[in-house]
Amino acid sequence: PYRAQVTTDRPRLSPLVGRDRELDQLRELLAAGRRLVTITGPGGVGKSRLANELGGVLVPLAEARNRADIEAATSRALDMRSATAASIARRVDGGKLTLIFDDAEHLVGELGELVSAIAAELQRGRLVVTSRVHLGVDQETLLELGPLAERAAMDLFVARALRADAYLDVENALEDIRAIAERLDHIPLAIELAAARTSVLAPAELRRRLDEGLVALPPGGRHRTVRASIEWSLAQLDDEERQLLSELSVFCGGISEDAATEVTTAGQRAPALLTSLADKSLVSPREPMRMHLALLSSIREVAGEHLEDPDQVRHRHARYYANRARAVEELRRRRGLEQALHLSLIHISEPTR
C-alpha cells in the first residue's frame, strides 16, 4: 500500500517534503566555508522553504524597492538601529549567524553590492539568498533548485490534501494524483494549491480541470498563484527575451540552440538570449541530454498566451523538423542506422502543441 514519506522530525506547520538531498547540499556548502550561497530556481519551486529550514535570520525582501529598503529590512531582522555592510558583517560574524535574504530577484544589483561587501568581511557567519536570478558577484555559490521527484511530488500532494480532506481515499486516487503532479511540473507551490482544492473537488475532477489550464488553481500563498508568479517573471524580461520565450512555447520537448535559431525570430541572437532566460530560471536543462533546454509546462502555457503569430512560428517549427527528418533519412541511407540515430538524438523534439 502507498505510504507518504513526509519529514516529521519536529512539529511544524509545513513539513519539508522531498528536499533532503538539497538541504544536505546547502548545509555542506555553508559548512565548507562558502560565505554566500544563492538558491535559484523558477517561482514556486520552494527556494524560500528550503532556506528557512536552516533556521537562520530571515530578511524578507518582497516589499523592498532599493538599497535603503534592504538595509532597513536587515536592521529590523537583526534588531539593529541601522545597518551598513560593516555593521551587518560584525553582527552576523559575532553571532555565527546565517542571514537569509529572501525574494531578491527584483533587487539583484542593489543586493549584490551589499552582500559582496558583507561577505568580504565574514569569517564565521554565512549569507543565503533566494532568487530566481543569480546575483553574479564574487564569492557567490549557486544551488539550483529544480522540481520535485515524482514520488516526492505525490507525497507532498497527499500530505496537503489530507489536511483539506482527512477522508481522502489515497489508494484509489493514486493515478489521478500522479497525473496532477506531472501536469504541475512537480512544482511544490502548484501542488500545494491544487491539493487545497480536494476539500471541494475529487482528484479525478481536479485532474480534468487542470487539463483545461492553470485557472483551476485557487489564489493563495505568498506568490498568490503559479500564473501570477510566471507573469511577474515575464514582465521583468526585455522585449527580445519575452518574444523568444513566447515563441519557444511551440516546443513541447527539448530545444537545441540550432532549433531555436532556425525556428524563432531571434535568429543568431537565440543562443545568447537562451542563456539569459536560463539565468532567470525560465528555461532549464532537459535530462538526460543537457545540450537541450526545455520549458516547464506551466511556463510554456503562460508564455504561449503572449505569442502574437503562433501559426507562423509553428510553421517554421514544422519545416525545421521536417528538414531534420529528411537529413536523418539521407544519413541512414549513406552512413547507416547508428549515425542516423545519433543525429536524431541531437535534434530530437516532440511535436508542437
Side-chain angles (χ1 to χ4, degrees), residues 26-294:
L26 179 57
R27 286 174 170 159
E28 287 169 4
L29 288 171
L30 298 173
R34 304 299 177 91
R35 300 177 184 180
L36 169 61
V37 177
T38 300
I39 305 171
T40 64
V45 81
K47 301 180 292 295
S48 299
R49 183 65 187 83
L50 181 68
N52 288 342
E53 194 71 9
L54 293 171
V57 177
L58 182 68
V59 182
L61 296 179
E63 303 301 322
R65 292 295 175 264
N66 50 46
R67 171 75 174 258
D69 288 348
I70 298 172
E71 292 175 350
T74 306
S75 65
R76 288 193 296 271
L78 293 172
D79 195 22
M80 301 168 62
R81 288 187 177 181
S82 61
T84 63
S87 63
I88 293 169
R90 286 194 298 271
R91 176 64 64 88
V92 172
D93 240 11
K96 299 181 182 179
L97 303 176
T98 298
L99 191 60
I100 302 168
F101 293 99
D102 191 31
D103 277 340
E105 49 271 348
H106 60 300
L107 295 164
V108 168
E110 297 89 338
L111 183 63
E113 293 176 0
L114 179 61
V115 297
S116 291
I118 298 171
E121 302 294 326
L122 291 180
Q123 296 297 324
R124 295 171 295 181
R126 298 291 181 261
L127 304 177
V128 173
V129 175
T130 72
S131 174
R132 299 176 212 177
V133 186
H134 65 80
L135 302 180
V137 299
D138 292 341
Q139 302 189 58
E140 181 183 33
T141 299
L142 298 181
L143 178 61
E144 295 183 11
L145 203 60
L148 294 169
E150 180 184 84
R151 175 59 187 257
M154 295 176 66
D155 288 343
L156 179 61
F157 184 95
V158 170
R160 301 299 185 263
L162 287 174
R163 289 185 186 176
D165 178 7
Y167 299 99
L168 177 68
D169 188 348
V170 175
E171 292 293 339
N172 288 328
L174 281 181
E175 286 308 310
D176 290 320
I177 292 171
R178 181 177 289 107
I180 290 168
E182 182 177 359
R183 171 65 181 85
L184 297 174
D185 300 311
H186 299 162
I187 296 293
L189 173 63
I191 291 169
E192 294 203 35
L193 291 173
R197 307 273 340 240
T198 57
S199 61
V200 293
L201 293 175
E205 175 63 12
L206 178 59
R207 175 184 180 180
R208 184 189 69 78
R209 293 197 184 190
L210 282 172
D211 285 339
E212 298 174 359
L214 293 176
V215 290
L217 297 183
R222 46 195 290 281
H223 291 297
R224 301 186 307 282
T225 66
V226 176
R227 176 177 292 275
S229 177
I230 296 170
E231 291 283 10
W232 185 93
S233 293
L234 264 61
Q236 309 312 305
L237 302 178
D238 63 31
D239 291 342
E240 275 192 305
E241 292 169 333
R242 194 178 303 109
Q243 176 72 16
L244 176 62
L245 189 66
S246 68
E247 293 180 355
L248 293 178
S249 68
V250 305
F251 291 83
C252 288
I255 307 165
S256 67
E257 287 187 356
D258 181 66
T261 299
E262 294 296 324
V263 172
T264 71
T265 54
Q268 296 301 317
R269 289 272 298 147
L273 292 172
L274 282 172
T275 298
S276 179
L277 291 176
D279 288 342
K280 296 175 174 67
S281 303
L282 288 168
V283 298
S284 54
R286 185 190 190 214
E287 301 295 352
M289 297 176 294
R290 294 184 70 87
M291 69 183 71
H292 284 80
L293 297 171

